[in-house]
Amino acid sequence: VTSFEPVTTFPEGSGVIKVGVGDEHACALFSAGNIMCWGQGGQGQIGDGTGANRSTPRAVRNPANTADLSGATDLSVGQL
């Protein structure tokens, strides 16, 4: 979904403490230590293990055990 106007991705009180924006994708870090990403994912940017584009946020997966990532304390998003 493309929007040229700001949209609410996470409601107030959802626990988002940091947002990172990369090249056609974005990620949010939550106070609980989990990360969700959305946007272009053809090169694994979303981190859900699929390589698919996502119009809605998806949980970043731990590649070692495919469980949802937890315990993150910071977030950095870049360009591929």
Side-chain angles (χ1 to χ4, degrees), residues 17-68:
I17 57 173
K18 190 172 193 177
V19 174
V21 179
D23 186 27
E24 299 184 2
H25 68 288
C27 297
L29 171 64
F30 291 80
S31 57
N34 58 312
I35 296 175
M36 297 185 85
C37 298
W38 62 100
Q40 298 293 319
Q43 296 179 350
Q45 304 94 304
I46 305 305
D48 65 356
T50 67
N53 298 337
R54 302 294 187 185
S55 60
T56 57
R58 296 292 178 117
V60 171
R61 311 290 288 186
N62 182 333
N65 60 18
T66 68
D68 287 354

Side-chain angles (χ1 to χ4, degrees), residues 64-80:
N65 60 18
T66 68
D68 287 354
L69 182 69
S70 63
T73 58
D74 205 354
L75 174 70
S76 179
V77 179
Q79 179 178 354
L80 295 174

